[in-house]
Amino acid sequence: MLLSTDSLTKYYNKFLALSNLSMSVDEGSIVGFVGPNGAGKTTAMRIMVTLMKASSGEVFIDGIPLSKDPRAVRGRFGYVPDFFGVYAAITSEEYLNFYADANSVPKEGREELIDGLLELVNLSDKKDADVNLLSRGMKQRLCLARSLLHDPKLLILDEPASGLDAQSRLELKYILQALKSRGKGILISSHILPELGEYCDKVVILKQGVKVAEGSLEEISRAIGRKAKISFTLIDPDQFEDAATLIKMSGRAGNVFKKEMNLETEFTGSEEDIAALIYTLVTGGIKISGVSHTKETLEEIFMEVIENEGPGKAE
C-alpha cells in the first residue's frame, strides 16, 4: 500500500485532536476522508505530509516510516492544502517552473512536462495567463498540476473542491479518475459528499479525532445494518411466485413485495451477489425486463454513522 498509518495520535497541549488513527490508501485507488468540521482530517493530513509531528504513532509512505526519514518520503507524495496562496504578476507556466525548481525537476524535458500537466488539468490555454486572474476552479487545478510535477505515487488533497462550481467539480472528478487509472493513490477530503461518493473506492470517516468507519460504501452500509433495495421487473405475472422463491433462497434478501409488475426486496449482498441472483433468476426461466438497485449515498451513510457512533476517549 502507498500510505498507511498506525495508531496516529496528536495532542495540542491537553486537547486530543487525533486518536489512534490506523488507515490505508492503496495504489490505483481513491479514498475519501470525511468528517464534521474539527474531526481531525486536516491535522492527520498535515502529519502525513511532514508539516506537523505526531504525538505518537507512525505514518508509512511507500513502505518508508515518516518519522525515520521524512526527506525520503517527500518526493513520493503530492499535496494540495485546504488553503494556498499564489504570487502576483506570475503566469501559470512561471508558477509551475518555480515549483519545478523547488522540487529539483530536471530542466531537460521540463517544458514538455509542464505542457502535459496543463493539458491534463485543462489549462493549456492559460499557460501565459496571470495566475491571479484565473478563476478559483482554475487555481485549484493549477495547484493540482503543481503537486504532480515530481510524478508522485501518492496525492493528498485537502478540500480541493471547496468553493468550486458544479462544472469545476465535474472536471476535478474526471482528472482524479484519470490519475487513478495511471496507478496513483489518492486521499481526498471533501464536504461535498454526494459527489465524493460517486468516485471513491472507499471512505474513512472521522468523528472528534476518532475513526468510526472505514471501507467501501457497501461494506460500511452492511456494518451498520442498512440494506440496499432491489426491484425486478417481470414480464410474466404468472412467474411472480417462482421468482419470489428464488430471491428468498439467495439467503440475502428480506421480505419480497409485489408492486405492479415488480418484485421488491431489501438485499444485504455485494454487487457480485446481486449479479449472481440475477443469473439465478434468468437461468431459472424467469423473464426479467429490468432491474433497479437503490444504494445509500455517502451522505446518508455519513449521517447514520456520525449520529450513532460515539467517539473514543483518551486515557
Side-chain angles (χ1 to χ4, degrees):
M1 60 189 68
L2 289 181
L3 168 70
S4 64
T5 68
D6 181 14
S7 302
L8 201 61
T9 299
K10 178 64 179 179
Y11 282 92
Y12 294 106
N13 295 321
K14 293 184 179 181
F15 175 72
L16 180 60
L18 196 65
S19 178
N20 294 307
L21 175 63
S22 296
M23 56 169 285
S24 64
V25 178
D26 293 326
E27 189 174 318
S29 70
I30 301 177
V31 177
F33 201 33
V34 299
N37 289 331
K41 304 183 300 297
T42 295
T43 293
M45 287 181 156
R46 288 177 178 170
I47 294 171
M48 293 171 188
V49 299
T50 75
L51 293 178
M52 182 183 293
K53 289 187 177 180
S55 300
S56 63
E58 185 60 277
V59 177
F60 298 89
I61 293 182
D62 204 17
I64 301 172
L66 184 150
S67 65
K68 302 296 183 183
D69 197 351
R71 288 183 178 273
V73 303
R74 285 177 185 146
R76 297 169 188 259
F77 66 77
Y79 175 51
V80 175
D82 57 342
F83 177 83
F84 48 82
V86 292
Y87 302 102
I90 187 172
T91 68
S92 298
E93 181 182 26
E94 291 168 339
Y95 177 84
L96 293 178
N97 260 306
F98 173 84
Y99 280 99
D101 285 335
N103 285 281
S104 301
V105 176
K107 296 282 188 181
E108 184 178 352
R110 185 186 292 184
E111 184 176 355
E112 291 81 1
L113 170 64
I114 289 175
D115 287 344
L117 289 175
L118 288 172
E119 182 179 358
L120 173 68
V121 298
N122 300 319
L123 289 176
S124 295
D125 60 335
K126 301 298 180 181
K127 181 177 180 178
D128 299 317
D130 189 316
V131 167
N132 281 310
L133 298 180
L134 299 179
S135 68
R136 180 176 177 84
M138 291 176 183
K139 288 179 181 178
Q140 294 278 49
R141 300 204 305 274
L142 182 62
C143 285
L144 180 57
R146 180 197 72 193
S147 73
L148 292 164
L149 281 165
H150 55 297
D151 193 24
K153 294 183 176 182
L154 172 69
L155 291 174
I156 298 176
L157 315 178
D158 194 358
E159 295 288 348
S162 177
L164 300 188
D165 59 29
Q167 181 177 347
S168 296
R169 295 198 304 270
L170 187 61
E171 290 174 343
L172 177 64
K173 170 185 172 181
Y174 290 145
I175 292 168
L176 295 181
Q177 289 174 325
L179 292 170
K180 171 187 171 180
S181 70
R182 298 182 184 185
K184 306 289 186 187
I186 302 170
L187 178 66
I188 174 172
S189 71
S190 178
H191 284 100
I192 308 172
L193 302 186
E195 294 177 7
L196 188 64
E198 292 177 3
Y199 58 85
C200 281
D201 298 288
K202 73 172 185 178
V203 295
V204 176
I205 303 177
L206 294 187
K207 179 181 179 181
Q208 295 182 24
V210 178
K211 183 183 78 174
V212 292
E214 179 177 7
S216 68
L217 298 190
E218 290 178 359
E219 290 167 343
I220 296 174
S221 184
R222 289 199 300 271
I224 61 177
R226 303 301 290 267
K227 300 177 181 179
K229 294 180 180 179
I230 305 178
S231 177
F232 299 94
T233 303
L234 273 58
I235 296 175
D236 185 353
D238 293 335
Q239 293 187 322
F240 273 60
E241 186 174 339
D242 290 341
T245 299
L246 290 173
I247 292 170
K248 291 177 182 178
M249 286 175 59
S250 71
R252 296 185 177 277
N255 293 326
V256 181
F257 301 95
K258 179 180 178 182
K259 187 176 181 181
E260 297 178 350
M261 292 299 292
N262 297 330
L263 283 181
E264 298 181 352
T265 185
E266 290 185 332
F267 197 78
T268 58
S270 64
E271 298 282 354
E272 289 76 14
D273 293 322
I274 294 173
L277 176 55
I278 294 171
Y279 177 80
T280 297
L281 290 170
V282 172
T283 55
I286 307 299
K287 298 176 181 179
I288 301 173
S289 62
V291 180
S292 65
H293 180 203
T294 304
K295 298 186 291 185
E296 283 194 296
T297 66
L298 174 55
E299 189 171 29
E300 292 169 333
I301 291 172
F302 173 79
M303 293 304 300
E304 175 83 11
V305 170
I306 291 300
E307 289 175 0
N308 293 299
E309 291 288 344
K313 297 181 180 179
E315 295 292 338

